[in-house]
């Protein structure tokens, strides 16, 4: 029987609001749609466990993004490890990079060339509409670092598929 | 700040990354609730198991282990977030000799305070451990032991499956930093749930004793009357090096001869020495590797016989860090069982220095 307590309803409400945004950020950050859904789910399971505490935060969504992006980092390490395994021992463990059958394949091809942290910054800024200061807080880095990563990412993307060069304005 | 966003990039990303449909969101929410409920049930079972164990084992030591085992690694400003292996792990250090240890401990088992690891997490942890240990990931090529890895269980998937619940590693007493490295690579949360590590006779990262390992008793040789003052077995130790890093092994030879009459002696593949405080019979260090099985019958005669000798510098007894504190000690070798049933008679002694 579904839990209809105010606490449970508040969690569900936050889930419906944040899940789509989180999945989209993770899709860009990981370049892996399946992994993005799994990572988002894991982050919400963690949120559920700590809900009594985190629900009192000013912005539980920030906590959620941080957990999810940390998990994305772990996921990337694991994938790198599997790839090294494949390189040494053969093809029994396949790469999970999955960017085919996605709209705007040119964009994806350019995105996957970016370092993971730059992809995360691009996703947070362009999809989640977060300002640089908020991204810096979220990722635990200086604002200047976020600015330079955004700049480098845009320049690389523009070079790759001729973006309009508004970022130079 | 001026924070321009190129509309073209934003628009293209918006189109390239479609949002999940309402049905997908509902389905994901159901999965989250189901997973959260399963995790809660798992935690309940663990708490019940811990309660039973507390009752059976007498409680204090186990509670200490449970309290000190970090369930979650928390990054600064990120309260309650267990998934932060992207951040550096808070360094843990071996307990000092001055630490107080719970009395009456015995076979302390560190119970996981998190849900059990998933098969995928076990598989990831396994690959990370092999990488840290510098071992091939090919199961057919993984050796059972290395100089620092004294033993393990579930490190090699049984039958090619990953259904083991925990990986256990027994590291030599100088393996504390290696254990930390494994934790850094695996992630503290997964390490706590999926990988059980002992360093010497200590549990990582709590430093609690893992099994009761009393220091063997040794006594000086008393020359029987009527032997003319000569020892019945004249032995000396020759070491490859008399200096050893704390926790590492010493290797060398025992060279012995019988002075009065031939002496029969059953030996193992190698002899095991013990470390005592300099000039005393107080044993402080032992070898934590597998005890060599007795196998060969040696007859000592008046001609010198050489036997391989190995000795460890893992700290025995319930107190202190995994390895011996740096300083001057003696390595002794003698006759007698190492199981503590009766004292071992010292037949040879050599000075050694343990370094940090």
């Amino acid at each position: 029987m579904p839990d209809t307590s105010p606490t449970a309803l508040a969690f569900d409400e936050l889930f419906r609001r944040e899940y789509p945004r989180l999945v989209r950020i993770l899709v860009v950050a990981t370049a892996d749609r399946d992994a993005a859904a799994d990572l988002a789910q894991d982050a919400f399971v963690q949120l559920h466990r700590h809900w009594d505490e985190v629900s009192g935060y000013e912005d539980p969504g920030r906590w959620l993004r941080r957990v999810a992006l940390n998990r994305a980092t772990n996921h990337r390490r694991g994938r790198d490890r599997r790839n090294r395994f494949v390189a040494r021992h053969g093809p029994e463990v396949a790469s999970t990079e999955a960017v085919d059958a996605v709209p705007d394949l040119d964009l994806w091809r350019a995105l996957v060339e970016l370092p993971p942290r730059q992809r995360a910054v691009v996703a947070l800024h362009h999809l989640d509409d977060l300002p640089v200061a908020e991204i810096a807080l979220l990722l635990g880095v200086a604002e200047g670092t976020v600015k330079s990563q955004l700049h480098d990412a845009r320049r690389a993307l523009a070079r790759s598929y001729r973006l309009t060069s508004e970022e130079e304005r | 700040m001026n924070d321009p966003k190129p509309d073209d990039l934003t628009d293209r990303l918006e189109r390239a990354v479609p949002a999940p449909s309402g049905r997908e969101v509902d389905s994901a929410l159901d999965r989250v609730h189901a997973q959260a409920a399963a995790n809660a049930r798992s935690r309940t079972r663990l708490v019940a198991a811990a309660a039973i164990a507390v009752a059976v084992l007498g409680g204090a030591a186990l509670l200490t282990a449970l309290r000190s085992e970090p369930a979650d690694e928390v990054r600064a400003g990120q309260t309650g977030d267990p998934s932060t292996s992207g951040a550096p792990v808070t360094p843990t250090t071996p307990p000092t000799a001055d630490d107080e240890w719970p009395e009456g401990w015995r076979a302390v088992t560190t119970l996981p305070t998190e849900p059990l690891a998933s098969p995928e997490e076990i598989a990831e942890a396994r690959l990370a451990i092999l990488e840290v240990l510098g071992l091939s990931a090919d199961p057919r090529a993984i050796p059972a032991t290395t100089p620092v890895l004294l033993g393990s269980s579930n490190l090699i998937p049984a039958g090619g499956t990953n259904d083991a619940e925990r990986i256990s590693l027994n590291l030599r007493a100088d393996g504390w930093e290696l254990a930390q490295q494994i934790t850094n690579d695996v992630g503290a949360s997964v390490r706590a749930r999926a990988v059980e590590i002992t360093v010497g006779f200590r549990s990582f990262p709590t430093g609690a004793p893992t099994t009761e390992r009393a220091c063997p008793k040794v006594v000086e040789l008393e020359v029987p009357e009527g032997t003319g003052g000569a020892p019945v077995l004249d032995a000396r130790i020759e070491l490859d090096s008399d200096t050893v890093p704390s926790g590492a092994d010493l290797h060398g030879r025992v060279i012995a001869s019988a002075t009065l009459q031939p002496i029969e002696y059953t030996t193992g593949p190698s002899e095991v020495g013990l470390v005592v405080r300099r000039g005393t019979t107080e044993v402080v260090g032992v070898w934590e590797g597998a005890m060599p099985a007795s196998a060969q019958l040696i007859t000592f005669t008046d001609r010198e016989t050489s036997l391989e000798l190995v000795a460890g510098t893992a700290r025995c007894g319930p107190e202190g860090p995994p390895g011996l504190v740096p300083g001057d000690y003696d390595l002794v070798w003698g006759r007698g069982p190492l199981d503590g049933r009766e004292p071992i008679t010292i037949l040879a002694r050599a000075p050694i220095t343990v370094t940090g």
Side-chain angles (χ1 to χ4, degrees):
Chain A
M1 183 175 170
D3 187 349
T4 56
S5 65
T7 305
L9 292 176
F11 178 86
D12 290 1
E13 183 185 346
L14 182 128
F15 183 94
R16 294 183 192 286
R17 185 175 67 244
E18 295 286 349
Y19 179 79
R21 298 167 67 181
L22 188 61
V23 168
R24 297 178 81 201
I25 292 168
L26 291 170
V27 166
V28 174
T30 62
D32 186 332
R33 286 167 297 159
D34 294 337
D38 289 345
L39 291 167
Q41 180 178 322
D42 288 349
F44 273 103
V45 169
Q46 288 302 318
L47 177 64
H48 191 283
R49 186 180 172 205
H50 298 287
W51 181 238
D52 286 348
E53 181 183 354
V54 181
S55 60
Y57 290 1
E58 184 182 344
D59 183 5
R62 182 191 296 166
W63 185 95
L64 193 65
R65 284 173 185 76
R66 186 148 46 188
V67 170
L69 288 170
N70 280 332
R71 285 184 171 249
T73 301
N74 292 348
H75 165 78
R76 176 169 53 80
R77 286 179 177 167
R79 189 179 58 192
D80 292 347
R81 193 176 294 125
R82 285 193 296 274
N83 289 342
R84 286 197 295 274
F85 181 94
V86 172
R88 286 201 300 265
H89 301 289
E92 57 268 42
V93 181
S95 166
T96 55
E97 202 79 58
V99 295
D100 56 340
V102 170
D104 204 343
L105 195 55
D106 287 344
L107 173 63
W108 279 106
R109 285 186 174 132
L111 276 170
V112 296
E113 295 299 320
L114 296 180
R117 182 50 71 92
Q118 285 188 17
R119 284 204 302 265
V121 168
V122 165
L124 291 167
H125 193 60
H126 287 278
L127 279 177
D128 209 24
D129 205 24
L130 292 185
V132 166
E134 177 71 15
I135 297 172
L137 195 64
L138 190 65
L139 299 179
V141 297
E143 287 187 29
T145 304
V146 174
K147 286 180 191 173
S148 66
Q149 287 182 333
L150 261 181
H151 175 78
D152 292 346
R154 290 169 180 165
R155 196 168 56 178
L157 291 172
R159 223 180 13 246
S160 294
Y161 72 100
R162 297 177 188 170
L163 258 181
T164 56
S165 56
E166 288 187 33
E167 71 271 28
E168 305 300 337
R169 285 187 285 180
Chain B
M1 64 157 279
N2 182 22
D3 188 21
K5 282 194 290 184
D7 292 336
D8 184 45
L9 177 56
T10 301
D11 290 345
R12 289 187 73 164
L13 278 169
E14 291 282 356
R15 288 194 300 271
V17 189
S21 67
R23 181 178 294 180
E24 287 173 324
V25 172
D26 288 342
S27 174
L29 180 56
D30 289 343
R31 288 197 300 274
V32 166
H33 280 304
Q35 184 64 47
N39 288 351
R41 284 195 298 274
S42 174
R43 281 195 295 275
T44 303
R45 284 198 299 272
L46 286 170
V47 169
I52 293 168
V54 166
V56 170
L57 299 177
L62 182 65
L63 285 173
T64 300
L66 283 172
R67 278 199 299 270
S68 54
E69 178 75 5
D72 293 347
E73 181 200 352
V74 180
R75 190 177 180 179
Q78 205 169 352
T79 309
D81 171 17
S83 60
T84 55
S85 58
V89 171
T90 304
T92 54
T93 54
T96 67
D98 297 326
D99 281 355
E100 291 186 0
W101 299 85
E103 292 181 4
W105 59 266
R106 186 177 183 86
V108 176
T109 301
T110 305
L111 293 179
T113 55
E114 285 280 323
L116 295 176
S118 67
E120 292 76 18
E121 286 176 321
I122 293 279
E124 292 288 346
R126 181 174 288 127
L127 286 179
I129 292 165
L130 291 173
E131 192 167 68
V132 171
L133 293 174
L135 299 174
S136 162
D138 181 355
R140 294 163 300 185
I142 298 175
T145 60
T146 71
V148 180
L149 177 66
L150 300 175
S152 66
S153 63
N154 299 325
L155 184 58
I156 305 170
T161 63
N162 289 319
D163 55 359
E165 291 183 342
R166 280 167 87 73
I167 297 169
S168 295
L169 304 175
N170 307 113
L171 302 181
R172 201 169 61 179
D174 56 345
W176 197 271
E177 287 184 5
L178 196 64
Q180 281 190 199
Q181 197 181 338
I182 288 171
T183 303
N184 283 335
D185 216 41
V186 170
S189 175
V190 174
R191 206 288 309 156
R193 287 179 291 125
V195 188
E196 195 170 77
I197 303 176
T198 60
V199 180
F201 301 111
R202 305 292 181 251
S203 176
F204 179 89
T206 64
T210 51
T211 56
E212 190 165 6
R213 179 60 187 265
C215 297
K217 297 262 189 304
V218 297
V219 294
E220 298 286 3
L221 174 68
E222 292 181 13
V223 180
E225 290 184 13
T227 58
V232 292
L233 193 65
D234 187 18
R236 69 178 187 277
I237 294 171
E238 289 184 355
L239 293 171
D240 296 340
S241 170
D242 60 6
T243 301
V244 60
S246 178
D249 300 334
L250 288 150
H251 295 273
R253 289 150 300 283
V254 172
I255 298 170
S257 57
T259 55
L260 292 178
Q261 58 190 20
I263 297 174
E264 287 192 341
Y265 180 61
T266 304
T267 179
S270 59
E271 291 294 289
V272 177
L274 300 168
V275 179
V276 300
R277 294 196 192 282
R278 176 68 59 86
T280 73
T281 56
E282 182 189 355
V283 177
V284 289
V286 297
W287 191 50
E288 69 272 57
M291 287 295 171
S294 295
Q296 302 170 29
L297 182 65
I298 300 288
T299 302
F300 291 107
T301 65
D302 58 353
R303 298 181 63 180
E304 288 189 337
T305 300
S306 177
L307 304 172
E308 292 294 316
L309 178 73
V310 64
T313 54
R315 179 188 288 267
C316 55
E319 295 182 348
L324 291 175
V325 173
D328 293 332
Y329 298 87
D330 285 343
L331 174 62
V332 299
W333 172 81
R335 298 279 315 268
L338 287 167
D339 57 11
R341 285 177 298 177
E342 55 188 89
I344 297 163
T345 302
I346 296 174
L347 295 173
R349 179 187 289 261
I352 62 167
T353 299
V354 175
T355 60

